Amino acid sequence: MLNFLDTKLFDRQGKAVTNFELTLPSIRSDLAQELTKDPYNFDFITLTQNYNEKELKDALMDNLTAFLLELGSGFAFVGREYRIEIGDTENFIDMLFYNIKLHCYVVVEVKVTAFEPSFTGQLGTYVVAVNHILKTDMDAPTLGLLVCKSKDNIQAKYAIESSSQPLGISEYELSNLIPEDFKGTLPTIEEIEAELNEQKSE
């Protein structure tokens, strides 16, 4: 409970920009909306200042338990870089989850840049592909969630209103950043071992 208060959960819960009202039945759209957060808090990971997308996704996967807790209750991890064939094209979904409460797949794409409208086309395509390839009659329609470094809420709203798929867009916060040159100031393993060996021989 204290952890949720520390991360201002109540201010973030259900705040993603979504088109769920337009694309899902009312009861399901409310539940799906409450499933989202904006922003997501990634302070459980530490990266250098000029991190790239792969480094962010690696860090999230290295801290999968904390990431699942941040996503919220009911999320089960299916796979990272989940391979899916669309026609003759091989595609890789950043992260694929299944939400047990909503009984649906959730496609999560992570971007280390500001939101761009073109991102929703890719996300929407993956959502449709999961519906065709993985979803069964027992599953509810797949949701798509895009998590970006930043976004213009109006631009994001317009972009997802143009999609027929249930999509959400959120930002993430990451304050545990270390300077790029910090690693260079630390001794290497070899230097530490040499120092220890030197001390033993004295």
Side-chain angles (χ1 to χ4, degrees):
M1 184 66 174
L2 289 173
N3 182 55
F4 288 153
L5 291 172
D6 287 344
T7 61
K8 299 180 180 176
L9 177 66
F10 300 110
D11 294 335
R12 303 183 294 123
Q13 193 81 47
K15 295 294 196 280
V17 176
T18 74
N19 63 358
F20 296 159
E21 259 185 35
L22 305 172
T23 56
L24 296 171
S26 58
I27 295 175
R28 178 161 284 277
S29 72
D30 291 344
L31 290 171
Q33 186 68 46
E34 280 305 303
L35 189 101
T36 70
K37 293 176 186 169
D38 191 27
Y40 284 91
N41 187 320
F42 290 170
D43 281 350
F44 53 85
I45 61 176
T46 302
L47 292 171
T48 55
Q49 287 175 339
N50 296 320
Y51 63 91
N52 60 37
E53 202 168 286
K54 182 183 183 304
E55 288 169 333
L56 176 58
K57 289 185 278 193
D58 284 347
L60 291 173
M61 289 298 99
D62 288 344
N63 295 273
L64 185 57
T65 300
F67 185 33
L68 284 168
L69 284 170
E70 178 58 18
L71 284 174
S73 63
F75 277 91
F77 180 63
V78 178
R80 177 191 172 181
E81 297 297 326
Y82 192 92
R83 181 179 172 277
I84 196 161
E85 283 191 25
I86 302 173
D88 297 326
T89 309
E90 190 177 46
N91 295 264
F92 296 91
I93 295 169
D94 279 355
M95 298 167 197
L96 185 63
F97 296 88
Y98 192 88
N99 189 272
I100 297 163
K101 289 184 174 181
L102 291 175
H103 302 285
C104 70
Y105 287 99
V106 182
V107 172
V108 176
E109 287 289 302
V110 179
K111 304 292 182 185
V112 296
T113 59
F115 169 74
E116 293 178 21
S118 60
F119 295 161
T120 57
Q122 179 189 40
L123 181 61
T125 301
Y126 290 164
V127 167
V128 172
V130 170
N131 281 336
H132 279 283
I133 299 166
L134 299 177
K135 177 184 170 296
T136 69
D137 293 339
M138 305 290 288
D139 302 317
T142 303
L143 304 179
L145 179 62
L146 184 66
V147 185
C148 301
K149 175 78 173 167
S150 62
K151 69 181 183 319
D152 178 309
N153 284 339
I154 302 299
Q155 185 187 47
K157 184 174 183 295
Y158 288 0
I160 56 175
E161 275 187 22
S162 68
S163 177
S164 61
Q165 301 307 310
L167 307 180
I169 304 169
S170 295
E171 297 178 5
Y172 67 86
E173 288 179 339
L174 176 56
S175 58
N176 292 333
L177 295 172
I178 57 176
E180 195 68 31
D181 59 354
F182 180 75
K183 190 176 179 183
T185 64
L186 297 173
T188 64
I189 292 171
E190 291 78 13
E191 289 170 339
I192 294 170
E193 287 175 347
E195 179 70 24
L196 290 172
N197 289 333
E198 194 176 301
Q199 288 175 2
K200 284 180 186 176
S201 63
E202 288 176 357

